[in-house]
Amino acid sequence: MTWIDWGILLGKVVIVFVGLLVSVLLFIWMERKVIADLQTRSGPMRAGPRGVLLSLADGLKLFFKEAIHPTESDPWVYRLAPIFAVIPGFLAFVVVPFGPSVHIFGRTVGLQLADLSVGVLWVLAMTSIGVYTVVLAGWSSGSNYPLLGGVRSSAQMISYEVAMGLALVALLMFSGHLRTSEIVDAQSRVWYAIPQFPAFVVFLICALAEVNRPPFDLAEAESELVAGFHTEYSGIAFAMFMLSEYVNAVVVSSIAVTLFLGGWRGPWPWDGAWFVVGGVLWFLFKLVCVMYVFMLVRATLPRLRYDRLMNFGWKYLIPFGLFWVLATGAIIVLPDRYGRQRGAIIAVGLIVAAWLIGSMVKPLLEARQEEVPA
């Protein structure tokens, strides 16, 4: 790599880093405005035009606020956990293409930090690392409440990662690609959210649970006195956890746009020099739409009880994810082996039969559990 290549790479890193930080500030302001509008309130109106700089003011306030360190905490792990909480979100965005390729200094440069051959697996790996920061923050605080909050949050994130992985397995089986750029190119005609709509819905539900957003924010409920694994944090350390949560929300929304909604591709592309600008605008528009759905869910659905949250993940989402993986395999393989019409009929028949068997077996299992004495 020449110095030009290093300069281009450094420029993309700066653009992505600054873009994620600015998007977090704007989405926090947007969320306050959307929820306020649904509740017939004005929302933030100070600190900038219509309160748009309020998130920046809150960040500056937390940055200069005194940090209180518990005496029983582990000093090194306690201080490093908030920093490690932010890193996985930025690393997961590395493989997200937010626009088409551009030509700079005689080089074709993709609007993507790294086009890895195992891009989807990289995303799963980075989202899984975030579990360790939650556990480390809760354990290092030296208090029972953060420890219990960290254990509950890690159990929640791990359980919903299984269902998310199954949704992505079905998508990968359908697309046949692991590179995110190839998945975006394959959606030039039809977005995968249409043929893989069940996987898309499961992915969005698991994404909400992964980033601890309502109605799955049990361990760090904002309206309660105890805030879960970050109870003992204050000042800039608490701001880092808040930043990581919103960065992860932006990242999972970007991944949903990339894998299911065609990425930067739009139904009305621009021509010529505006092609790149149009692709970036389409990506941002879809990202805002997915985040808006997350905000509507937060404003409308009540918080689940913890046992119901885990029950929903293990007894409903994971079995349905396994069912949809089998259904996707049948839809892909059977038409090629038995012909399109005959294979489609067999695939639909097997899906319906599996669904009926599951519907009959589920009441029997539930009745058996009720008969077992506590």
Side-chain angles (χ1 to χ4, degrees):
M1 293 180 63
T2 63
W3 64 271
I4 298 179
D5 298 321
W6 284 108
I8 293 174
L9 179 60
L10 180 61
K12 290 195 296 183
V13 170
V14 172
I15 291 174
V16 170
F17 182 77
V18 175
L20 284 176
L21 292 180
V22 174
S23 65
V24 167
L25 298 178
L26 293 178
F27 279 126
I28 294 176
W29 170 79
M30 177 182 171
E31 187 168 35
R32 291 177 174 178
K33 282 293 187 179
V34 169
I35 296 177
D37 183 66
L38 292 175
Q39 298 173 349
T40 63
R41 296 186 291 108
S42 298
M45 296 297 293
R46 300 182 181 181
R50 302 189 65 83
V52 70
L53 299 179
L54 184 60
S55 301
L56 179 61
D58 291 339
L60 292 175
K61 178 191 70 174
L62 290 173
F63 182 81
F64 290 104
K65 189 175 181 181
E66 180 184 3
I68 300 174
H69 304 288
T71 57
E72 298 297 329
S73 64
D74 185 287
W76 284 102
V77 180
Y78 178 83
R79 289 175 173 83
L80 292 177
I83 301 175
F84 291 156
V86 181
I87 295 176
F90 286 97
L91 292 179
F93 195 83
V94 166
V95 297
V96 175
F98 53 91
S101 300
V102 296
H103 297 281
I104 302 176
F105 301 112
R107 292 167 172 79
T108 301
V109 179
L111 295 184
Q112 181 181 9
L113 288 183
D115 190 13
L116 302 179
S117 59
V118 289
V120 179
L121 300 182
W122 172 266
V123 170
L124 290 175
M126 292 301 103
T127 55
S128 301
I129 292 177
V131 179
Y132 293 99
T133 61
V134 172
V135 177
L136 292 177
W139 170 80
S140 63
S141 297
S143 177
N144 292 331
Y145 285 116
L147 178 60
L148 293 176
V151 172
R152 287 160 68 102
S153 295
S154 59
Q156 169 187 331
M157 295 171 71
I158 291 173
S159 62
Y160 279 85
E161 276 182 5
V162 177
M164 178 186 289
L166 292 174
L168 294 181
V169 166
L171 173 72
L172 296 178
M173 291 173 59
F174 188 82
S175 65
H177 303 291
L178 280 174
R179 290 181 182 269
T180 53
S181 59
E182 294 178 350
I183 294 176
V184 172
D185 294 336
Q187 299 178 74
S188 58
R189 294 185 178 181
V190 179
W191 295 348
Y192 286 153
I194 298 176
Q196 287 289 314
F197 182 75
F200 178 55
V201 174
V202 172
F203 181 86
L204 290 182
I205 295 174
C206 295
L208 286 173
E210 274 284 303
V211 298
N212 291 322
R213 285 188 59 86
F216 303 106
D217 60 333
L218 271 299
E220 53 177 26
E222 297 175 348
S223 59
E224 299 177 5
L225 295 178
V226 179
F229 63 91
H230 50 62
T231 302
E232 301 293 342
Y233 284 89
S234 61
I236 187 60
F238 177 79
M240 295 290 284
F241 280 115
M242 186 176 180
L243 174 64
S244 67
E245 180 177 327
Y246 276 92
V247 166
N248 291 331
V250 174
V251 169
V252 296
S253 301
S254 303
I255 295 170
V257 170
T258 301
L259 300 182
F260 293 96
L261 299 178
W264 53 266
R265 295 184 176 274
W268 299 286
W270 282 265
D271 296 326
W274 287 97
F275 178 71
V276 176
V277 178
V280 175
L281 291 179
W282 272 120
F283 180 84
L284 294 177
F285 173 74
K286 297 175 186 178
L287 176 62
V288 171
C289 291
V290 175
M291 289 296 296
Y292 185 74
V293 172
F294 286 175
M295 296 171 190
L296 291 182
V297 171
R298 174 177 181 173
T300 54
L301 294 183
R303 184 177 291 118
L304 296 178
R305 209 171 60 196
Y306 191 78
D307 59 330
R308 293 183 178 179
L309 179 144
M310 300 299 290
N311 181 75
F312 180 66
W314 286 100
K315 292 186 179 180
Y316 291 92
L317 286 183
I318 293 178
F320 181 79
L322 290 171
F323 165 77
W324 186 248
V325 168
L326 296 175
T328 302
I331 294 172
I332 294 174
V333 174
L334 293 179
D336 294 336
R337 185 166 185 176
Y338 296 100
R340 179 171 298 180
Q341 295 182 352
R342 186 178 177 184
I345 294 174
I346 296 174
V348 173
L350 291 176
I351 293 172
V352 173
W355 185 268
L356 292 176
I357 294 173
S359 300
M360 291 185 295
V361 170
K362 180 183 174 182
L364 297 177
L365 295 176
E366 293 179 350
R368 184 176 179 181
Q369 290 179 355
E370 293 178 355
E371 293 177 357
V372 176

